Amino acid sequence: MEEKIKSLEEAVDLIQDYSILALGGNLIHRSPAVLAMALGLAGKKGLHLIKTAGAFDVDFLCAMGSVRAVEAGYIGYENEFGLADFYRKGVEEGRIEALEQACYTVIAGLRAAIAGVTFMPVVGLEGSDLVKARGFKKVKDPYGEREFYAIQAITPDWTILHVQKADREGNCVINGPYYEDPIMARAGKKVLVTAEEIVEEDFSDNPALTSIPGFLVDAVVEIPRGAFPGTCAFYYGEDGDFIKKFKACRSSEDIRKLVQEREISV
Amino acid sequence: MEEKIKSLEEAVDLIQDYSILALGGNLIHRSPAVLAMALGLAGKKGLHLIKTAGAFDVDFLCAMGSVRAVEAGYIGYENEFGLADFYRKGVEEGRIEALEQACYTVIAGLRAAIAGVTFMPVVGLEGSDLVKARGFKKVKDPYGEREFYAIQAITPDWTILHVQKADREGNCVINGPYYEDPIMARAGKKVLVTAEEIVEEDFSDNPALTSIPGFLVDAVVEIPRGAFPGTCAFYYGEDGDFIKKFKACRSSEDIRKLVQEREISV
Amino acid sequence: MKEYGPAEMMIVAIARMLNDGERVFHGVASPIPMLAILVAQRLYSPGLTYINITGGINARPEVLPKSTDAPELIHKSKVIFPLADIFDLSARGELDTAFLSGAQIDSRGNINSSVIGDFSRPKVRLPGGAGSAALVPTAKRVIVWRAKHDPRIFVENCDFITARGNVKEVVTPLGIFEKIFGRLELKSIFSYSSLAEIREKTGFRVSEPFGEEIGEPTKEEMEVLKELDPERVRDIEF
Amino acid sequence: MKEYGPAEMMIVAIARMLNDGERVFHGVASPIPMLAILVAQRLYSPGLTYINITGGINARPEVLPKSTDAPELIHKSKVIFPLADIFDLSARGELDTAFLSGAQIDSRGNINSSVIGDFSRPKVRLPGGAGSAALVPTAKRVIVWRAKHDPRIFVENCDFITARGNVKEVVTPLGIFEKIFGRLELKSIFSYSSLAEIREKTGFRVSEPFGEEIGEPTKEEMEVLKELDPERVRDIEF
């Protein structure tokens, strides 16, 4: 079996400019934030990001000029930390395309990719201006008269997840909420996992706890505190101070300096 | 909260003649066989059964004249016990309609029901005579030129599952393979669970092990050996002798006698 | 008794609107609905099914997080029911109440969480509607809440309609609107506010309230709130 | 060395056809493919991903069940990957090899597992194609096997085509066919059979085999088989 365990540098090299990347986790929770930081600091360009609800990971890549489009339901930090200003500014200045979806239609698009079809019919969206803005088309039930919005398949080149535990084969155990990670793992052409711990444990003792099947995973990187500055359930909470300092940065140089000061290995 | 725990008699009374029933498990494994026997012995009529791959449960209901249609990918006992003769005879004599699906299209139909849409596009079926025989229609991607077969939603009136453990709220832990049970539980208008054990355990200690969400479950019946004569992982294996004797029965009276002899409480 | 403010008033007003046995969902950035649901379960609707975006079902968080998508919100849940399943539940008509909010809320109960200005090159890019475009048309009842009440939020027409549909009530720090014949009509004014204040702070026509006044938070409600939320996470929306 | 029969020959012939690194699936009623995959993993393709209908991934059953859908087939699996996921995997083009069988197999590699006679009022109602109508057109390669070889099974045209598609090889107790330009052509004859026997027992035209003879099971293969299947579950198909 080929070696799936990679260093952070090797993992960063796997991701090509202009790729479509699905990022796991949700908001500041168990998102692959350190890997996202590493991509931004490595100067990746033209990334198309897929997320249901994103915060620091997306905003950081926007801040570093790595993003051409964001396809998501929500990008922001909720009440405590406010708007995702780098994302927002990028969109307002026309550098980043905001391909807003409803979170459900991100899921529907991923489900279409999983099932190898090019679209998925969904209930919902009626009356939303997103229909016109995003060009969502309808599809008619060939057996009846009902029409549904059709959501085009979303196929990430890479799905990038952060999990608590992975084994050498890429099997992953997620503690706490899964968010959309299992769906993203199935939809991605390739899957990169960062893990708090790569363990020697035999997951076959309780295979029902394995959230991500190893045979779908291409690369595994051990990154303790890999969801920093976000949370990782049962491991650590968020670092609000860091998020605030990041949000106060005025240039990519400020950001590089902040990362260095905090001695984050990216 | 209303009481979900029912006796077997109460559960049988819940199921109306001419209902559409999805039966969990697969072949002789963890299927709700005792509940199926009870329905057959109670003289239920006109049932439309949904299953990916079925064996004793479906065959028993066919033997008792309870079935009008079977919508499934496979009905048989595999190599050891051979064909499902009661089902087969019923179809050959025109008493039972064999609505053959591919197992995947049963799943697709259930998925459509889960998502509230009336059809699901699928890849596959190309070149199969099932297309004509079942009247499967195509649907075109409104964004492109590709066509897919559209599978109509399958909405069971009741999904009936057998599990190892349930709590009073209907949360279920399945040990071993899940088969299509979690999908069927979501697709059914109502859900009836039979369980080896109703436990006082607090499943919140490890919610990732709960396969069926209790809030979707309407009724729970404790039936130890409820998958008899089939298997229930980590609890018991099949009773091949009983299956052979059942298959040798020549009338519903023979079957009633066999069940009485074995002192099965149905 | 002036130990309560708009946060407490909104929470208890919403808690009293929920019914026993119903399935109620909140998503991200929703401390007030989170608390309202927890208060309702404790005092009025013990059989309510509390569903949140983490996949928690009837979670009993030990410590309330500021982020309503945080892992604390599956604590004591007996199953994980991920967001994809929750959307499906709503799409097939089995979700009773969903809580959503918006940057703008208009006279017809439409919400905008997307943009001010042109969609593709907006003046202000807002976070996005999260699940609202899918949930507002499919949940049986949508309760919209917003912890600020001013005329730039409560507008005659949204700049962009992110979601439209089954909005029934809109709860603000000043009172409650209900959608009647397609328009938001003032139902109740909270005791510390007035029709004049609401008219002043609302960008669309407001008639006399058609419903009864909502009683102030009771001692019992305040005690439960204090117990559930000693750190006053609820204030974060204000 | 005549310690082997058709079961062993079929199993090792199939085992040698599998490649390292590929994803291989079997469904119900498939003892021969189950054993062939396990032998292949042991001897030739340790990096093969063994997927079975129970959701087991690289399962290592302690005791081989007679039913190839039995819970024993997730033993030692590190994850559960249910059938719905397996079908999706094939539908999106990521399943390398699927094993399927049929009551009839015709000259074009089509399979019938549905009916003899009219579909709605058949002379014989067969069990049904299980996953075949979905998998045969979508798996990259389909290997069909059948433990009996007679002219009622190997027919010019199936009465009903349950599944058609990417059938590449057909393995019988007597030899191996390969689909070439849309027709099954005899590739290899097992040492204990003959062209004459195969022609006699096949309902369509059979040409001289175009491939090499398949070597008899080796001592090593027989030992692994004995170890994996001491109870001779493999005989159940015959």
Side-chain angles (χ1 to χ4, degrees):
Chain A
M1 202 179 310
E2 93 277 34
E3 180 59 47
K4 291 182 180 177
I5 300 181
K6 308 287 179 198
S7 68
L8 180 53
E9 292 67 32
E10 288 169 331
V12 166
D13 286 344
L14 290 171
I15 308 299
Q16 303 294 307
D17 289 347
Y18 300 97
S19 300
I20 301 173
L21 306 183
L23 301 176
N26 214 292
L27 297 176
I28 60 164
H29 307 296
R30 208 174 41 65
S31 75
V34 170
L35 198 285
M37 284 194 262
L39 293 175
L41 293 167
K44 298 288 175 185
K45 293 274 168 257
L47 301 176
H48 177 137
L49 305 180
I50 309 290
K51 186 113 186 181
T52 43
F56 177 82
D57 49 356
V58 172
D59 208 27
F60 188 96
L61 284 162
C62 290
M64 297 304 289
S66 297
V67 179
R68 74 182 143 105
V70 177
E71 194 155 4
Y74 179 97
I75 302 294
Y77 295 82
E78 301 178 284
N79 307 95
E80 191 176 11
F81 305 108
L83 295 172
D85 294 309
F86 296 106
Y87 160 74
R88 178 186 161 183
K89 210 174 137 201
V91 176
E92 291 168 8
E93 293 176 358
R95 288 178 282 109
I96 297 170
E97 204 179 353
L99 299 169
E100 185 177 342
Q101 298 261 8
C103 294
Y104 190 38
T105 61
V106 173
I107 290 166
L110 294 168
R111 284 175 168 172
I114 290 171
V117 294
T118 56
F119 74 95
M120 188 58 56
V122 296
V123 174
L125 294 180
E126 291 79 7
S128 170
D129 286 343
L130 286 172
V131 168
K132 194 175 165 212
R134 293 298 323 280
F136 293 131
K137 295 185 180 181
K138 286 197 168 179
V139 59
K140 193 174 140 294
D141 177 352
Y143 303 97
E145 289 307 314
R146 277 190 67 183
E147 289 193 317
F148 302 95
Y149 285 105
I151 305 303
Q152 286 185 276
I154 297 172
T155 308
D157 294 313
W158 281 92
T159 285
I160 304 179
L161 310 175
H162 184 68
V163 304
Q164 282 90 352
K165 285 183 186 179
D167 71 12
R168 297 189 157 269
E169 297 169 20
N171 296 296
C172 303
V173 170
I174 292 174
N175 303 126
Y178 312 138
Y179 305 116
E180 284 63 70
D181 290 28
I183 292 173
M184 288 177 169
R186 284 158 173 77
K189 287 183 200 160
K190 287 179 176 269
V191 178
L192 166 60
V193 166
T194 73
E196 291 295 322
E197 306 178 61
I198 296 176
V199 297
E200 297 299 327
E201 253 173 271
D202 184 352
F203 291 164
S204 72
D205 294 342
N206 209 336
L209 294 179
T210 304
S211 312
I212 309 293
F215 80 97
L216 297 180
V217 172
D218 298 275
V220 183
V221 188
E222 187 172 72
I223 309 184
R225 299 191 67 81
F228 173 90
T231 80
C232 188
F234 302 102
Y235 280 67
Y236 46 86
E238 78 270 20
D239 185 330
D241 178 60
F242 186 88
I243 294 173
K244 282 176 197 156
K245 282 187 175 142
F246 163 71
K247 289 188 53 115
C249 287
R250 287 292 154 261
S251 68
S252 58
E253 278 320 297
D254 286 358
I255 294 169
R256 283 181 195 279
K257 215 179 294 170
L258 174 66
V259 170
Q260 276 163 8
E261 273 166 20
R262 294 294 292 256
E263 292 177 1
I264 300 159
S265 310
V266 284
Chain B
M1 201 180 313
E2 93 275 37
E3 178 61 48
K4 292 183 180 179
I5 298 180
K6 307 288 178 196
S7 69
L8 180 53
E9 293 67 32
E10 289 170 329
V12 166
D13 285 344
L14 291 171
I15 309 298
Q16 303 293 309
D17 290 346
Y18 301 96
S19 299
I20 300 174
L21 306 183
L23 301 176
N26 212 293
L27 297 176
I28 59 166
H29 307 296
R30 209 175 39 66
S31 75
V34 169
L35 196 285
M37 285 194 262
L39 293 175
L41 293 166
K44 297 288 172 184
K45 294 275 168 255
L47 302 176
H48 176 137
L49 305 181
I50 308 291
K51 187 114 186 181
T52 45
F56 177 82
D57 48 356
V58 172
D59 207 28
F60 188 96
L61 284 163
C62 289
M64 298 304 290
S66 297
V67 180
R68 75 183 143 104
V70 177
E71 193 154 5
Y74 178 98
I75 301 295
Y77 294 84
E78 302 178 286
N79 306 97
E80 191 177 11
F81 305 109
L83 295 171
D85 293 312
F86 296 105
Y87 161 73
R88 178 186 161 181
K89 211 174 139 204
V91 175
E92 290 167 9
E93 293 175 358
R95 288 179 281 108
I96 297 170
E97 202 178 355
L99 299 169
E100 184 177 341
Q101 296 261 9
C103 295
Y104 190 38
T105 60
V106 173
I107 291 166
L110 294 168
R111 283 177 169 172
I114 290 170
V117 294
T118 56
F119 74 94
M120 188 57 57
V122 295
V123 174
L125 294 181
E126 293 79 6
S128 170
D129 285 344
L130 286 171
V131 168
K132 196 177 162 208
R134 294 295 324 280
F136 293 131
K137 295 186 182 181
K138 286 197 168 178
V139 59
K140 194 172 140 294
D141 177 354
Y143 302 97
E145 289 307 315
R146 278 190 66 183
E147 290 192 316
F148 301 95
Y149 284 106
I151 306 303
Q152 287 183 276
I154 298 172
T155 307
D157 294 313
W158 281 92
T159 285
I160 304 179
L161 308 175
H162 183 69
V163 304
Q164 283 90 352
K165 285 184 185 178
D167 70 13
R168 295 187 160 270
E169 297 169 21
N171 296 295
C172 303
V173 170
I174 292 175
N175 302 127
Y178 313 138
Y179 305 117
E180 284 63 69
D181 290 28
I183 292 173
M184 287 176 168
R186 285 157 173 78
K189 286 183 202 162
K190 288 179 174 268
V191 178
L192 166 60
V193 167
T194 74
E196 291 294 322
E197 306 177 61
I198 295 176
V199 297
E200 297 298 328
E201 253 173 88
D202 184 352
F203 291 164
S204 72
D205 293 342
N206 209 336
L209 294 180
T210 304
S211 312
I212 308 294
F215 80 97
L216 297 179
V217 172
D218 299 274
V220 184
V221 188
E222 186 172 72
I223 310 184
R225 298 191 68 82
F228 173 92
T231 80
C232 188
F234 302 102
Y235 280 67
Y236 46 86
E238 78 269 21
D239 186 330
D241 178 61
F242 185 88
I243 294 173
K244 282 177 195 153
K245 281 185 175 142
F246 163 71
K247 289 188 52 113
C249 287
R250 288 291 153 259
S251 68
S252 59
E253 279 320 298
D254 286 359
I255 293 169
R256 285 182 193 278
K257 214 179 296 169
L258 174 66
V259 171
Q260 276 162 7
E261 272 167 21
R262 295 294 293 257
E263 292 176 1
I264 300 159
S265 310
V266 283
Chain C
M1 80 157 165
K2 199 51 190 130
E3 60 183 12
Y4 75 91
E8 291 75 22
M9 191 64 231
M10 287 181 76
I11 290 166
V12 305
I14 294 171
R16 295 172 196 165
M17 287 158 62
L18 300 175
N19 302 310
D20 206 22
E22 67 173 331
R23 293 165 177 171
V24 183
F25 167 78
H26 76 71
V28 301
S30 307
I32 286 175
M34 169 178 74
L35 272 155
I37 295 167
L38 291 169
V39 168
Q41 275 196 323
R42 279 283 203 94
L43 293 179
Y44 306 118
S45 314
L48 175 161
T49 300
Y50 165 35
I51 303 174
N52 71 56
I53 183 172
T54 65
I57 300 292
N58 292 327
R60 296 282 172 272
E62 279 185 308
V63 178
L64 288 187
K66 293 176 185 169
S67 161
T68 62
D69 191 19
E72 288 85 343
L73 290 185
I74 65 162
H75 186 71
K76 284 289 169 192
S77 175
K78 294 174 180 172
V79 62
I80 299 176
F81 193 72
L83 183 58
D85 281 318
I86 296 166
F87 282 121
D88 286 339
L89 187 79
S90 188
R92 66 179 184 265
E94 296 183 11
L95 180 62
D96 296 297
T97 297
F99 284 96
L100 292 156
S101 189
Q104 292 182 320
I105 297 153
D106 76 14
S107 59
R108 295 165 191 279
N110 301 322
I111 60 182
N112 176 17
S113 314
S114 301
V115 290
I116 306 295
D118 180 57
F119 183 80
S120 55
R121 189 67 190 271
K123 187 160 157 280
V124 183
R125 176 65 232 186
L126 300 164
S132 61
L135 294 175
V136 174
T138 59
K140 289 185 195 162
R141 171 171 76 156
V142 173
I143 300 175
V144 169
W145 88 103
R146 186 69 203 264
K148 292 196 173 66
H149 194 141
D150 76 43
R152 288 167 314 156
I153 294 168
F154 290 90
V155 295
E156 178 62 36
N157 291 300
C158 285
D159 280 41
F160 183 94
I161 298 172
T162 307
R164 162 187 291 175
N166 303 332
V167 170
K168 179 137 181 268
E169 291 101 349
V170 176
V171 180
T172 87
L174 306 183
I176 301 176
F177 294 86
E178 199 170 300
K179 196 164 80 175
I180 294 172
F181 298 122
R183 265 195 85 88
L184 293 189
E185 303 289 352
L186 187 62
K187 183 178 186 182
S188 307
I189 302 172
F190 294 147
S191 62
Y192 51 77
S193 184
S194 66
L195 180 58
E197 184 187 11
I198 293 180
R199 281 186 167 152
E200 185 197 319
K201 294 184 172 173
T202 301
F204 53 83
R205 177 180 51 77
V206 178
S207 306
E208 296 274 342
F210 70 89
E212 286 174 24
E213 203 184 294
I214 306 293
E216 304 190 331
T218 64
K219 193 158 162 269
E220 202 183 15
E221 287 168 336
M222 289 301 292
E223 271 165 16
V224 167
L225 248 179
K226 219 168 286 176
E227 199 189 312
L228 286 167
D229 185 29
E231 302 296 325
R232 302 192 61 91
V233 164
R234 59 193 180 275
D235 289 343
I236 200 171
E237 290 202 50
F238 290 85
Chain D
M1 80 154 166
K2 199 53 190 121
E3 60 184 12
Y4 75 91
E8 291 75 22
M9 190 65 229
M10 287 180 76
I11 289 165
V12 305
I14 294 170
R16 295 173 196 164
M17 286 156 62
L18 299 175
N19 303 309
D20 207 21
E22 67 173 332
R23 293 166 177 171
V24 182
F25 167 78
H26 77 71
V28 301
S30 307
I32 287 175
M34 168 177 75
L35 272 154
I37 295 166
L38 291 169
V39 169
Q41 276 194 323
R42 281 284 201 92
L43 293 179
Y44 306 120
S45 313
L48 176 160
T49 300
Y50 166 36
I51 303 174
N52 70 57
I53 182 171
T54 65
I57 300 292
N58 292 327
R60 296 282 171 271
E62 279 184 308
V63 178
L64 288 186
K66 292 175 185 170
S67 161
T68 62
D69 191 18
E72 288 86 341
L73 290 185
I74 64 160
H75 186 69
K76 283 290 168 192
S77 177
K78 293 173 181 172
V79 61
I80 298 176
F81 192 73
L83 183 59
D85 281 317
I86 296 167
F87 281 121
D88 286 338
L89 187 78
S90 188
R92 66 179 184 264
E94 295 183 12
L95 180 62
D96 296 297
T97 298
F99 284 97
L100 293 156
S101 189
Q104 293 181 320
I105 298 153
D106 76 13
S107 59
R108 294 163 193 281
N110 301 321
I111 61 183
N112 176 18
S113 313
S114 299
V115 291
I116 306 294
D118 180 57
F119 183 81
S120 56
R121 189 67 189 270
K123 188 160 156 278
V124 183
R125 176 64 231 187
L126 300 164
S132 62
L135 294 175
V136 174
T138 60
K140 289 186 195 162
R141 171 170 77 157
V142 173
I143 300 175
V144 169
W145 89 102
R146 185 71 203 262
K148 291 196 176 67
H149 194 140
D150 76 41
R152 288 168 314 159
I153 295 168
F154 290 90
V155 295
E156 179 61 36
N157 291 301
C158 285
D159 280 42
F160 183 94
I161 297 172
T162 308
R164 163 187 289 173
N166 303 331
V167 171
K168 180 138 180 266
E169 291 100 349
V170 176
V171 181
T172 88
L174 306 182
I176 301 175
F177 294 85
E178 198 169 300
K179 195 161 80 173
I180 294 173
F181 296 124
R183 264 194 86 88
L184 294 188
E185 302 291 351
L186 187 61
K187 182 178 186 182
S188 307
I189 304 172
F190 294 147
S191 61
Y192 50 77
S193 183
S194 66
L195 180 59
E197 184 186 12
I198 292 180
R199 280 184 167 153
E200 186 195 320
K201 294 183 171 170
T202 303
F204 52 82
R205 177 179 50 76
V206 178
S207 304
E208 296 275 342
F210 70 88
E212 285 173 23
E213 204 183 293
I214 305 292
E216 303 190 330
T218 64
K219 193 158 161 270
E220 203 184 14
E221 287 168 335
M222 290 301 291
E223 270 164 16
V224 167
L225 248 180
K226 219 168 286 174
E227 199 190 310
L228 286 168
D229 185 28
E231 302 297 325
R232 301 191 62 89
V233 163
R234 59 193 178 274
D235 289 343
I236 200 172
E237 291 202 48
F238 290 84

